[in-house]
Amino acid sequence: EALDEITYARAKGQPVYGEVLPGHLLLDDSVYRNPDWASAAGYVMSPPFRPREHQEALWRGLQSGNLHTTATDHCCFCAEQKAMGRNDFSRIPNGTAGIEDRMAVLWDAGVNSGRLSMHEFVALTSTNTAKIFNLFPRKGAIRVGADADLVLWDPHGTRTLSAQTHHQRVDFNIFEGRTVRGVPSHTISQGKLLWADGDLRAEPGAGRYVKRPAYPSVYEVLGKRAEQRRPTPVQRQG
């Protein structure tokens, strides 16, 4: 239903953007009927996973250009924390992990299936986001002057997703047991190699605050539209 509203607004010329989580493209509400309480609770998040027919609608949203980027809503809670709601469903902390698997899951289910092209994959995971959040071309582009933040992609590499092997500090993986084809082989941040064929070299505290201009280009567009709608003195008198 949210996608329908975004699509309607864009058809009317409104500069509206939409995002989708890879989990909502692949998982449905059957996860909440798992007889194992801890497993079902591990999938509790907002918005919750929906019936299966919602997945195809979201894929169409990506393909049509009405959804522009993918996110994770990465918010980790371990089993002990989820257990706060064992006797009261409303007290289960809302959130799942996904930041480590986001790109591989989207490539495997999107590009490998023919739903998306590799160029659309790059736009959805990088370029579009940088533009929406006013970071382009510092981010979202490989060019002189851009930050040296790069991901080298191996379209033939495989990995089985599991809480036993991921690097996210949480004991649950919503994609547990899923094998994906297409994985990052190397990750470079600030010109430094942080991930190389399974070897994680990131150091805590190495991140930095990235300043952004206050207003992305869409504000200029909206300002011009508002100016055109402003009545002239003659119109005011009438």
Side-chain angles (χ1 to χ4, degrees):
E1 293 86 351
L3 172 59
D4 288 343
E5 294 300 322
I6 293 171
T7 303
Y8 176 80
R10 289 180 60 80
K12 295 292 184 179
Q14 296 300 317
V16 178
Y17 308 101
E19 70 175 20
V20 64
L21 312 189
H24 288 105
L25 294 169
L26 299 175
L27 302 173
D28 60 61
D29 59 356
S30 64
V31 296
Y32 300 124
R33 294 188 287 276
N34 192 313
D36 177 63
W37 187 91
S39 293
Y43 290 97
V44 171
M45 63 173 297
S46 298
F49 295 107
R50 305 294 190 184
R52 187 176 297 274
E53 58 268 21
H54 287 236
Q55 295 174 14
E56 192 55 41
L58 293 174
W59 280 113
R60 289 197 299 270
L62 290 175
Q63 294 166 327
S64 65
N66 288 310
L67 292 176
H68 307 84
T69 185
T70 56
T72 62
D73 279 8
H74 184 86
C75 187
C76 296
F77 293 100
C78 292
E80 181 180 355
Q81 295 168 301
K82 290 283 188 178
M84 292 171 55
R86 180 169 289 278
N87 297 316
D88 181 353
F89 173 87
S90 66
R91 297 189 63 188
I92 299 176
N94 276 226
T96 63
I99 197 167
E100 183 174 349
D101 304 321
R102 174 182 71 110
M103 295 178 70
V105 166
L106 186 66
W107 180 281
D108 185 63
V111 179
N112 289 344
S113 69
R115 288 187 174 106
L116 302 172
S117 71
M118 67 174 68
H119 302 292
E120 290 170 324
F121 171 81
V122 172
L124 291 167
T125 58
S126 179
T127 310
N128 290 352
T129 309
K131 291 178 179 179
I132 292 170
F133 289 100
N134 213 19
L135 287 167
F136 187 86
R138 180 175 178 179
K139 307 286 187 184
I142 301 176
R143 57 193 290 180
V144 174
D147 288 349
D149 296 341
L150 304 168
V151 175
L152 278 66
W153 198 259
D154 178 3
H156 304 295
T158 61
R159 178 172 175 239
T160 298
L161 310 181
S162 174
Q164 303 302 314
T165 55
H166 68 205
H167 297 82
Q168 303 164 130
R169 298 189 66 179
V170 64
D171 57 9
F172 190 82
N173 191 307
I174 61 174
F175 303 114
E176 184 69 39
R178 182 184 181 92
T179 298
V180 294
R181 178 167 56 86
V183 296
S185 64
H186 296 75
T187 301
I188 300 170
S189 177
Q190 303 179 54
K192 297 180 180 179
L193 190 61
L194 301 187
W195 172 267
D197 291 324
D199 178 22
L200 180 63
R201 306 177 186 180
E203 298 179 359
R208 69 193 189 284
Y209 177 76
V210 178
K211 292 183 178 181
R212 298 179 295 157
Y215 302 104
S217 59
V218 67
Y219 279 82
E220 182 180 355
V221 172
L222 293 172
K224 290 180 179 178
R225 292 183 185 180
E227 185 66 30
Q228 291 173 358
R229 289 195 298 267
R230 188 171 299 166
T232 64
V234 174
Q235 290 175 320
R236 289 196 187 99
Q237 293 174 2

